[in-house]
Amino acid sequence: MDELQNIDHLCNIYQEEYLTEDDLDELRVNSNVVTYEKPEVILRQNTRTSHIAYVKSGLVKVYKEGHNRRNFILKVACAGEFLGLTSVYGNELHQYSASALQTSEICFIDFFTFNKITQRNKQYAMGLIRLISEENLFILHRLMGQIHKQLPGRIADVILYFSETIFHNTTFEFPLSRKELAELAGTTKESFIRTLAEFKHDKIIHVEGSKVHINSLKIIHTLSKLG
């Protein structure tokens, strides 16, 4: 699969077939929902982990903050996805930040409660291990793509990511600025804009502002595969 697509759309946090009513009640009692507006920060890199965060609705930018205000965007999280699982189970500090790309409802669950439920529920725990593994593999494949692919392949990956993984449509709006899209592709803003303009000139896509329509999905896939 293409680097920016190699992760399944994560399923419902509660996976009710694996949890008892007591489990669900305990999760509800020990959680709260907070609404964030763009571009409010939901999780801040290097702050202490204390809760499991889950996207109930909206879109969230997940990114690693670097030096000189240069960021590396890891992914865009949709409704039904966790935020910060790797950090919560692997470190006392959040290893990346997350901010709202649109009005987003985030469910925060007390980590002690969540961990207690996973410890007594093997199937649910195995599901979490699978999600963490898939997310780590997704990031690994993205990094490999940025190292080995030429710019057209990386831009094609970004377009496919939003078309097939986030919006499931050949017509969509980029939820990120051009600068952020460049961070997602691992390039400069100028290079991203130039390559996008070349795609438009060749009639592979139609772009008007943040709105995109893919004229030839076959060519985009070919560019992605050829790198």
Side-chain angles (χ1 to χ4, degrees):
M1 298 179 73
D2 301 318
E3 278 71 16
L4 280 171
Q5 298 170 273
N6 196 32
I7 186 171
D8 292 334
H9 210 56
L10 303 186
C11 56
N12 192 313
I13 185 176
Y14 296 126
Q15 298 181 48
E16 293 185 16
E17 67 271 25
Y18 297 142
L19 300 178
T20 67
E21 281 301 319
D22 287 342
D23 291 335
L24 292 169
D25 287 341
E26 196 168 354
L27 284 170
R28 292 185 188 107
V29 169
N30 291 281
S31 65
N32 66 295
V33 176
V34 180
T35 300
Y36 292 86
E37 301 294 337
K38 182 180 181 178
E40 289 185 296
V41 174
I42 299 163
L43 302 177
R44 175 70 75 185
Q45 185 174 313
N46 294 326
T47 59
R48 289 199 168 272
T49 57
S50 60
H51 288 76
I52 297 289
Y54 169 76
V55 184
K56 185 177 178 184
S57 66
L59 285 177
V60 174
K61 178 179 71 171
V62 181
Y63 58 101
K64 184 78 173 175
E65 297 184 61
H67 297 294
N68 300 320
R69 296 186 177 181
R70 293 190 65 181
N71 299 327
F72 176 72
I73 297 180
L74 301 171
K75 60 180 288 188
V76 172
C78 305
E81 298 190 39
F82 288 103
L83 301 173
L85 269 185
T86 303
S87 295
V88 170
Y89 281 101
N91 200 292
E92 293 182 352
L93 302 177
H94 285 296
Q95 297 302 297
Y96 50 78
S97 298
S99 62
L101 288 173
Q102 57 184 225
T103 302
S104 301
E105 292 181 300
I106 308 299
C107 180
F108 291 96
I109 306 164
D110 174 66
F111 176 69
F112 176 79
T113 300
F114 190 83
N115 198 44
K116 183 172 63 174
I117 289 172
T118 59
Q119 285 179 344
R120 70 185 184 217
N121 191 317
K122 182 184 291 187
Q123 284 183 302
Y124 194 73
M126 289 302 295
L128 289 178
I129 292 171
R130 184 179 65 252
L131 294 183
I132 292 171
S133 298
E134 288 176 347
E135 183 160 344
N136 287 338
L137 286 171
F138 169 69
I139 293 170
L140 174 63
H141 290 149
R142 281 208 55 223
L143 289 171
M144 292 298 291
Q146 291 196 6
I147 292 170
H148 295 292
K149 288 191 176 186
Q150 300 298 316
L151 192 54
R154 281 183 272 151
I155 306 307
D157 280 348
V158 169
I159 293 170
L160 287 174
Y161 179 52
F162 286 110
S163 173
E164 299 187 344
T165 301
I166 304 300
F167 296 114
H168 309 284
N169 202 316
T170 54
T171 300
F172 58 90
E173 287 192 40
F174 281 133
L176 301 172
S177 68
R178 292 295 193 262
K179 178 178 180 295
E180 291 170 320
L181 288 167
E183 292 170 351
L184 182 63
T187 186
T188 64
K189 176 182 174 181
E190 293 74 20
S191 294
F192 186 93
I193 292 172
R194 184 177 64 252
T195 305
L196 206 64
E198 290 171 358
F199 283 13
K200 180 179 179 180
H201 179 267
D202 294 338
K203 302 191 185 308
I204 300 169
I205 61 173
H206 177 74
V207 184
E208 187 174 342
S210 61
K211 295 180 180 179
V212 181
H213 175 73
I214 301 175
N215 296 324
S216 178
L217 196 57
K218 182 179 179 181
I219 293 176
I220 293 292
H221 271 289
T222 300
L223 289 168
S224 173
K225 289 175 183 177
L226 293 177

